[in-house]
Amino acid sequence: MTSMSRARVARRIAAGAAYGGGGIGLAGAAAAGLVLAEVQLARRRVGNGTSPHVPHADGTYGHTYAGPGQEPLRLTMLGDSTAAGQGVHRAGQTPGALLASGLAALAERPVELRTVATPGARSDDLDRQVALVLAAPDPVPDICVIMVGANDVTHRMSPTRSVRHLSSAVRRLRTAGAEVVVGTCPDLGTIEPVRQPLRWLARRASRQLAAAQTIGVVEQGGRTVSLGDLLGPEFAANPRELFGPDSYHPSAEGYATAAMAVLPTVCASLGLWPAEEERPDASRREGFLPVARAAAEAASEAGTEVTAAMPSGPRGPWALLKRRRRRRVPEQEPAPASPSN
């Protein structure tokens, strides 16, 4: 599927999500049921969900930066097993811990991590997760990172319904005052046991949903990062290194790769990225595009950020497409949380 045709499909899905329409099927109405059922069978064959336990990574990172009057930044992870860190054995290897450690180092402030992401969650679980975040007695998080979408594809959730739930979650968090970064649906076409033609169809469905997610998120004031790196070309080239033991969830190295892609956007959303890097760099093919086109291009290239720019234009809202330079994130175990007073 070309970038332009993916942009058209993404616009239709996002419009259906916004206005309650049925939208368009992921890979065509006639084939979607069979294709996605086969994806789910492949998912079962590789053992996804057989070990739902994830390390407990919540706590405070960057204690060395603590000082009088230095309030910690608050980071919350929402979404599915990818956001929770299923597939690794140590807390410091989870994406939340990696992002918290990296954010603490770059902000030179402690970071308090909370995880409400749940293995197996689909986008319709975000309503519950956001309610947990907003009902907590603690202040609203400074930044929320959402990683979701793979289970929507494998469970045949309507893409319009998927985007509607995600958009609602972003809107509620932004209204409450939190910055929001969404890691869009990873490329399921690179899961090792998936073969052609299912591989091509799974990739098409994943990228189509990722593009539609981007439109919905950007329209609600959030930012997106393509997570093709999570289950994308690097994983296909190095499956033994970047996949975990179940061949479905990332290994520690895989999560580090994803965290490196997301961290710059997390920092930029908090105003912590160098000002000179906020300007589009033509040499890296960055620039302002209609939001649907930016979404389609981002879905095809891992690690690409999309954020709202000019509110309107002849072809609708515009967005800024960025290919940020990645930063290595340190692995760090959280210190025990201080008891509440």
Side-chain angles (χ1 to χ4, degrees), residues 167-334:
S167 298
S168 173
V170 174
R171 180 172 61 251
R172 291 169 65 191
L173 292 169
R174 292 290 292 129
T175 300
E179 297 292 337
V180 181
V181 173
V182 174
T184 55
C185 182
D187 186 351
L188 296 176
T190 57
I191 298 173
E192 197 174 17
V194 178
R195 302 301 177 206
Q196 296 291 9
L198 176 57
R199 181 184 294 271
W200 179 85
L201 292 166
R203 171 172 288 122
R204 181 185 178 192
S206 303
R207 291 185 176 182
Q208 194 169 295
L209 178 58
Q213 286 177 317
T214 293
I215 296 175
V217 169
V218 169
E219 288 179 346
Q220 299 303 326
R223 303 186 188 213
T224 63
V225 179
S226 168
L227 286 189
D229 275 346
L230 191 60
L231 296 172
E234 293 183 57
F235 281 22
N238 303 288
R240 295 184 182 276
E241 180 181 356
L242 293 174
F243 275 122
D246 63 5
S247 298
Y248 186 90
H249 292 101
S251 66
E253 288 297 322
Y255 278 127
T257 300
M260 281 192 294
V262 174
L263 179 61
T265 301
V266 167
C267 292
S269 69
L270 294 171
L272 300 171
W273 209 241
E276 62 271 15
E277 292 195 23
E278 291 305 297
R279 294 187 292 271
D281 185 342
S283 68
R284 298 210 302 267
R285 294 176 294 115
E286 298 178 346
F288 297 97
L289 297 169
V291 66
R293 183 177 164 194
E297 290 199 14
S300 301
E301 185 171 343
T304 306
E305 173 191 321
V306 180
T307 186
M310 296 170 279
S312 63
R315 285 177 285 178
W318 285 61
L320 174 60
L321 185 144
K322 293 281 294 180
R323 296 175 173 87
R324 296 186 183 274
R325 295 183 177 90
R326 300 180 193 176
R327 298 285 181 90
R328 170 65 62 179
V329 294
E331 180 186 321
Q332 178 181 323
E333 298 284 354

Side-chain angles (χ1 to χ4, degrees), residues 77 114 119 186 261 284:
M77 302 293 296
R114 183 186 181 201
R284 298 210 302 267

